[in-house]
Amino acid sequence: MRTVPHFWWLFAIVLLLSGCAAGNRDSSVDNAPLSAFGPLTHDSQWYLSRIDSASPEDRFALQVLATRRLIADGDRSQANAVQQQLAREATTPRQTVALRLLNALQLGKDGQSSKALNRIAGIDLRPLDSNTVQFYYRLQSELLLKTGQKTAAANSLISLDPYLKGDLASKNQQQIWLLLQDSNSNTLKNYVSAANRMKREKAAGWLELTLIAKEPKNQSQLFADWQKRYPGHPAAAFFTPATDTSAQPVIAESTGITPTAGIQKIAVFLPLSGKLAEPANALKSGLEQANIAAGNKFTFTYYDENSLSMPELITKAQQNGAQLVIGPLQKNKVEQLSASNVTVPVLALNQLGNQPAADNLYYFSLSPEDEAAQIAQKIHEDGLKNPLLLLPSNALGDRTAAGFNSYWQSLEIGEATVAKFRSRDELLTLLRQKLGGTGTALQAGQIQSLADDPASDPNRVDAIFMLASAFEASNIKSSVDMMLGDSPVRPTYYLGSKSNSSGLRADVALALNGMQLGDMPWMLNRMPEELAKATAALPQASGDQLRLYAMGYDAGNLVNQLSELRQNPDMTLNGLTGVLHVTTDGVILHDLVWTRYTNGQLTTNEPALAQPAVQQPAQ
């Protein structure tokens, strides 16, 4: 499978999508019943010319077909004009879904794949016909591929597979296997767990066989056991067990990881000049403190990543005898480094959207996407199914939504409802819409009103995650409580690190009662001695600087254990940023600690660790 050209996975998915984006325009289908998301057999004008004489139902379908053809042909202006007409005519749930799919198709065509995914988030597929469901999964998988989410894209194609037959099914199954080939073991294990919880046996079969293909030993026995559990599974056609440990499986894990134990000479690339010099100083302080705690076993040589090109810096560091590089911090510098000829291990202090999985490259970041995915996992583990995300309408809100839904999509229980706002008035309007306030016409397939529906309603909003300061979060919760009135049904609230603030007024802290907050243990006063050392080194440090200090400290502690942690993804290391573990792709993950506001205080499952909410580290 590794001999297949890299472009094949994209070509295959485009080919699959062409089933609903192109056609042979055979006149023999002219008399077939109209399906808005069936094959496109004519040009746009053919569909538009028949609208006036069509029945109301066919009229809408003709306009959808015409719009799809216009989008495929690149006629954005006319496609938008027809969509505006459709927006005025859409009255049924199916028609509303059709409009959302067209909007997403246009956004994807315009290169706005993340926005397109948000547009189709939360669509209820149950009332839709087979052609529309197939179109949805094809479109979703294409958009996920464009955003670099190969495992999620494969998951969409697995959901599509039961609808396909013959050659289309064979091509779809081959595409599933090709996409899963690039998934790391930790991601696959998460998807297996979700598939088993949702009783998706066919999906679990694909994912488990991919994991078997990554095992260096006993593939024949593991495959035989798999076949007993999944008799007749189509994935079996794509896998042949390795005959001995020297033979590489179809999906081979890299075995060339450079050992990092015993490394002493380290080059550190940081933006020591310019606007990022202050954050870089916080990272540097964390590294130095970790070295002191380790008995000064490292020799750090610092380089300003803004002073030379990345190839020049790498050459200079290697000439100076560097055994490992920590940094750079800026994303564009990480991109340059990943494309450079660097032979020593590198612990980059940022993460790319689609980073290369090289044996000597590691990625450590405090990304909003990673935090949002952990919040999604927490909500799911708490047994909640219909979260509402309240996010600012900016780049941070977009990244948070993408991170949350990257995890939520793997669960196959729909997608989270995302509400983005620019002002308080816009937020209140969104809350009335999402929670069923006056003037809101709720339709089938949408998240239903908390105020008007009983607690047993499976579609009600049962969780709210907000990206807001502690003061903003208290105001939002008060607004929701007022809207819900006397209803006994209340959502569970979740907050991230942005909401962990110092100096809260007592009334604000009390207003946050019941809310759960996830953050680094370091930022929750669970390591007071280490915090005292940090504040001594950085007396004016803000919350963000303290987080960067913790990141630097953990980077220093990770150096000698990077290769071992990567080869053993189940191993962990306790750090200031959380419990650390390394994926087989070299990505360092840190687990949040969860606390809850009770009587104006943040408490944990360990009562002795309770801390007054007003004494949190400065934000």
Side-chain angles (χ1 to χ4, degrees), residues 36 44 66 147 317 412 444 464 504 528:
S44 59
T147 57
E412 282 294 307
I464 294 179
L504 293 183

Side-chain angles (χ1 to χ4, degrees), residues 333-614:
K333 301 292 184 180
V334 177
E335 290 173 348
Q336 293 170 22
L337 182 141
S338 65
S340 302
N341 183 25
V342 56
T343 57
V344 299
V346 176
L347 175 54
L349 298 175
N350 210 322
Q351 187 174 344
L352 306 177
N354 225 355
Q355 65 266 2
D359 292 327
N360 64 326
L361 296 183
Y362 297 82
Y363 305 90
F364 188 17
S365 72
L366 305 180
S367 72
E369 291 90 344
D370 176 52
E371 179 171 314
Q374 290 197 52
I375 292 169
Q377 181 179 4
K378 170 65 174 172
I379 291 174
H380 182 252
E381 288 175 351
D382 286 349
L384 306 175
K385 296 183 178 180
N386 294 317
L388 168 63
L389 278 58
L390 301 177
L391 309 175
S393 185
N394 56 26
L396 179 60
D398 291 342
R399 294 178 65 185
T400 299
F404 192 101
N405 270 322
S406 70
Y407 182 87
W408 207 254
Q409 287 164 1
S410 72
L411 304 175
E412 282 294 307
I413 55 175
E415 295 181 359
T417 300
V418 178
K420 296 182 180 178
F421 58 91
R422 297 180 182 84
S423 65
R424 176 177 170 79
D425 289 343
E426 187 174 359
L427 171 62
L428 293 176
T429 300
L430 286 169
L431 285 172
R432 281 192 289 270
Q433 292 173 350
K434 300 303 180 183
L435 301 179
T438 57
T440 301
L442 294 171
Q443 299 174 350
Q446 294 180 332
I447 300 294
Q448 298 298 304
S449 163
L450 275 170
D452 301 330
D453 294 320
S456 59
D457 184 345
N459 293 317
R460 69 180 179 85
V461 173
D462 53 14
I464 294 179
F465 162 55
M466 57 187 81
L467 188 63
S469 69
F471 180 73
E472 292 167 337
S474 67
N475 284 334
I476 293 172
K477 183 175 182 291
S478 297
S479 297
V480 172
D481 288 342
M482 289 179 63
M483 291 177 186
L484 297 180
D486 296 330
S487 172
V489 181
R490 288 289 189 272
T492 302
Y493 295 92
Y494 295 84
L495 304 171
S497 60
K498 181 178 172 62
S499 304
N500 187 12
S501 302
S502 64
L504 293 183
R505 298 199 317 260
D507 60 329
V508 174
L510 286 170
L512 297 173
N513 278 349
M515 288 189 168
Q516 296 191 64
L517 182 144
D519 202 351
M520 301 177 184
W522 163 252
M523 299 300 292
L524 296 169
N525 287 346
R526 294 177 64 129
M527 300 173 177
E529 291 183 6
E530 296 301 334
L531 182 60
K533 295 175 184 177
T535 53
L538 299 167
Q540 303 300 319
S542 67
D544 287 341
Q545 288 175 308
L546 287 174
R547 287 185 169 84
L548 289 169
Y549 173 97
M551 182 181 177
Y553 189 98
D554 284 354
N557 276 340
L558 280 166
V559 165
N560 286 154
Q561 302 182 67
L562 282 172
S563 57
E564 184 181 10
L565 288 167
R566 186 169 187 167
Q567 292 171 6
N568 301 280
D570 292 332
M571 286 182 60
T572 60
L573 177 71
N574 291 328
L576 301 190
T577 60
V579 177
L580 300 160
H581 42 109
V582 182
T583 72
T584 54
D585 285 343
V587 178
I588 288 89
L589 303 177
H590 58 99
D591 296 340
L592 300 177
V593 170
W594 284 96
T595 59
R596 183 189 299 271
Y597 278 96
T598 304
N599 296 325
Q601 294 182 337
L602 279 173
T603 60
T604 69
N605 292 331
E606 304 165 76
L609 294 177
Q611 298 289 340
V614 295

Side-chain angles (χ1 to χ4, degrees), residues 253-295:
E253 295 281 13
S254 173
T255 57
I257 298 174
T258 304
T260 60
I263 281 176
Q264 293 179 323
K265 297 188 69 174
I266 299 173
V268 182
F269 297 170
L270 290 173
L272 301 176
S273 62
K275 62 182 181 180
L276 293 178
E278 191 171 353
N281 184 55
L283 277 161
K284 182 179 177 182
S285 294
L287 278 170
E288 295 289 354
Q289 188 60 50
N291 196 21
I292 292 171

Side-chain angles (χ1 to χ4, degrees), residues 119-138:
R119 188 72 187 97
I120 61 174
I123 288 179
D124 185 356
L125 302 180
R126 290 172 296 182
L128 306 181
D129 63 89
S130 174
N131 282 333
T132 306
V133 173
Q134 291 181 57
F135 184 91
Y136 168 84
Y137 282 127
R138 285 174 173 136

